[in-house]
Amino acid sequence: MDVQTLTFIFVGTTFALYIGIAIWARAGNTDDFYVAGGGVPPLANGMATAADWMSAASFISMAGIISFVGRDGAVYLMGWTGGYVLLALLLAPYLRKFGKYTVPDFIGDRYYSDIARLVAVVCVLFVSFTYVAGQMRGVGIVFSRFLEVEITTGVLIGMTIVFFYAVLGGMKGITYTQVAQYCVLIFAFLVPAIFISILMTGNPVPQLGFGSTLADGSNIYLLDKLDQLSTELGFAAYTAGNKSTIDVFFITAALMVGTAGLPHVIVRFFTVPKVRDARISAGYALVFIAILYTTAPALASFARVNLINTVSNTEYKLTPSWFKNWENTNLIAWVDKNQDGKIQYFSGKAFSGKPQFLKTRGPEGERQISNTSTANNNELYIDRDIMVLANPEIANLPNWVIALVAAGGLAAALSTAAGLLLVISTSISHDLLKKMFLKNITDRQELFFARVSAAFAIIIAGYFGIHPPGFVAQVVAFAFGLAASSFFPVILMGIFSKRMNREGAISGMITGLAFTAGYIIYFKFIDPSANSAENWWFGISPEGIGTMGMVFNFIVAILVSRVTAPPPDEIKDMVDDIRIPQGAGASYHHLES
């Protein structure tokens, strides 16, 4: 069968499975909709958390970034994985013992203030919509290539599917759907990695193939070969780091702390029966995540070698079918600058900005692109987000593997999108309406508002997916910076500092979020031409500025809390109760409804 037919079968089957699970696990009340009734077993919750966590950025874009930037891409591996250690040790069990529905719920009650709750809701919406934009972008990319539709159409299809199981099933439906999605995405990620590792190094374990010699008899190590190919084309050596030490530190820290502060990840630990299960869930999730994260560097290296060997200095007329298939999506393009009919791939931008493709072709079939850059000899434009999806085609693997990867990419994007959309709807229906503006609404009315909020959130998320502010992993990195600068300090101090009060928390959140968002917006949207190391503050890139925002949050919160009245005694008692380990294995605390 051809790739498109197989993709329809694989994607259609998995979508039917997701919708079937949502119908089976339909939420009947707010307890089911918000926290799946608080009865999810730790193993299932760990798997669902891994799927919720491993988004389009992890599945599609992370390996793509590592393929192009080499060692510098390790910041994503270290930051995103290390964040779970912080989450398991410092936040998850204490928030579970607190026993509420959402992060704004914790902040509002802990800081005895509806203003603090409102600021937290604004932070949730800011972070979640930024994050979900990357997921919808990933959905559009998969559909545009494998189902041969426009990215916009692909995003609309993804919105429809998410609508069914997020709006219908709530957290209960999403949890068990994510268990299925984890199985799909991890199988789809590992199968091509194993195949390609065997073909390139003779080793069936990608993590070991990454450090092995090539199977072509040259006795050259894979990474040595990649360094050689990269330097020959004018790129830096693949294993050399180009980022400054301070930027690597700040990006890694922002990703770690951002992980521990992401609302859609934290809320997963409200769904388990006992406090002890929150830690166990985090442990399972870390294992499930590590399976993909230890494979990603190997897959990235395989993809880079295959890309260069397949495309560089090849006559366009002789390029394999995968190149022209992806060219039709406008995510890869070639312009013949020297008119020799060959694809010259070198360091530097092939075009002055992202190419604006015309619908006409030249006499030899090449794309005619108007904004060609003459500053260098590079003739090839590649969108980083295609590397994992195109890898099986580049390696000439069977069609069913290509279709499987498409289904896996969609599973990764949709699982995280659903979790984010639920957090958005919960923040609106529970934290804004139930807790602040419509305090007397019934459980049934609250559930109705939650579903309506989810529907509106899906529409907004779809718009951001069609008009994203960057490539997938970059957009997600910004979301982590915003989470690091807004949530992590006030949650951590809310658990471990009885002196932290509402004035300090509100001031800290506003300061951290405003500084981080302003820095990112300036360099990415207001003056992109200034986005370079010499213009960054202390050499810190927008991807890492969330760490500095977090520091400002801590400083402002502590200073303001010291010059304002301390929290009431009942709040101090609440903090003591959250931190006391006694009863950690007790039965599930009743959640308010």
Side-chain angles (χ1 to χ4, degrees), residues 204-253:
V205 181
Q207 293 86 339
L208 299 179
F210 181 54
S212 300
T213 56
L214 295 172
D216 58 6
S218 63
N219 205 34
I220 298 176
Y221 283 94
L222 170 69
L223 292 177
D224 288 338
K225 179 66 174 179
L226 195 46
D227 278 344
Q228 176 189 332
L229 291 172
S230 298
T231 53
E232 286 176 354
L233 297 178
F235 298 96
Y238 189 77
T239 56
N242 295 313
K243 287 184 179 293
S244 66
T245 302
I246 189 171
D247 198 28
V248 168
F249 172 81
F250 271 78
I251 293 175
T252 303

Side-chain angles (χ1 to χ4, degrees), residues 17 88 139 152 169 186 248 274 279 286 387 428 434 441 496 528:
L17 175 63
V139 170
T152 299
I186 200 66
V248 168
K274 295 179 291 187
R279 288 193 191 275
L286 194 56
M387 291 306 292
I428 294 172
K434 176 70 174 178
I441 59 174
F496 294 100

Side-chain angles (χ1 to χ4, degrees), residues 227-421:
D227 278 344
Q228 176 189 332
L229 291 172
S230 298
T231 53
E232 286 176 354
L233 297 178
F235 298 96
Y238 189 77
T239 56
N242 295 313
K243 287 184 179 293
S244 66
T245 302
I246 189 171
D247 198 28
V248 168
F249 172 81
F250 271 78
I251 293 175
T252 303
L255 295 174
M256 287 181 65
V257 178
T259 297
L262 281 176
H264 76 288
V265 174
I266 291 174
V267 75
R268 289 237 54 93
F269 298 102
F270 295 144
T271 66
V272 292
K274 295 179 291 187
V275 175
R276 180 178 59 191
D277 294 337
R279 288 193 191 275
I280 297 173
S281 293
Y284 279 131
L286 194 56
V287 171
F288 292 135
I289 290 167
I291 296 172
L292 186 145
Y293 271 48
T294 57
T295 307
L299 194 63
S301 301
F302 300 152
R304 183 71 169 169
V305 171
N306 280 333
L307 173 71
I308 295 173
N309 285 338
T310 305
V311 172
S312 182
N313 206 35
T314 300
E315 288 190 30
Y316 180 81
K317 292 185 290 188
L318 301 179
T319 53
S321 59
W322 75 263
F323 185 92
K324 294 174 182 177
N325 290 337
W326 279 100
E327 196 178 17
N328 290 332
T329 68
N330 294 344
L331 296 174
I332 192 168
W334 167 68
V335 61
D336 196 1
K337 293 181 180 179
N338 59 6
Q339 304 298 311
D340 66 350
K342 293 183 178 181
I343 300 173
Q344 305 296 330
Y345 181 40
F346 295 104
S347 176
K349 290 184 177 181
F351 315 100
S352 55
K354 189 168 183 177
Q356 302 298 316
F357 299 95
L358 303 179
K359 297 300 183 183
T360 58
R361 288 181 180 271
E364 299 299 326
E366 73 277 8
R367 290 278 190 185
Q368 300 296 295
I369 302 172
S370 59
N371 58 341
T372 303
S373 172
T374 57
N376 58 71
N377 295 323
N378 183 30
E379 299 177 346
L380 187 65
Y381 166 81
I382 307 170
D383 189 305
R384 298 179 181 185
D385 287 339
I386 75 169
M387 291 306 292
V388 170
L389 299 174
N391 204 18
E393 293 178 271
I394 299 173
N396 201 28
L397 296 183
N399 287 346
W400 68 267
V401 178
I402 299 170
L404 177 64
V405 170
L410 289 171
L414 293 176
S415 62
T416 302
L420 289 164
L421 292 167

Side-chain angles (χ1 to χ4, degrees), residues 26 28-30 34 434 441-451 593:
R26 179 180 177 132
N29 53 52
T30 52
Y34 293 148
K434 176 70 174 178
I441 59 174
T442 65
D443 185 83
R444 185 181 182 87
Q445 289 172 323
E446 186 181 351
L447 183 59
F448 169 77
F449 284 125
R451 286 183 164 138
S593 59

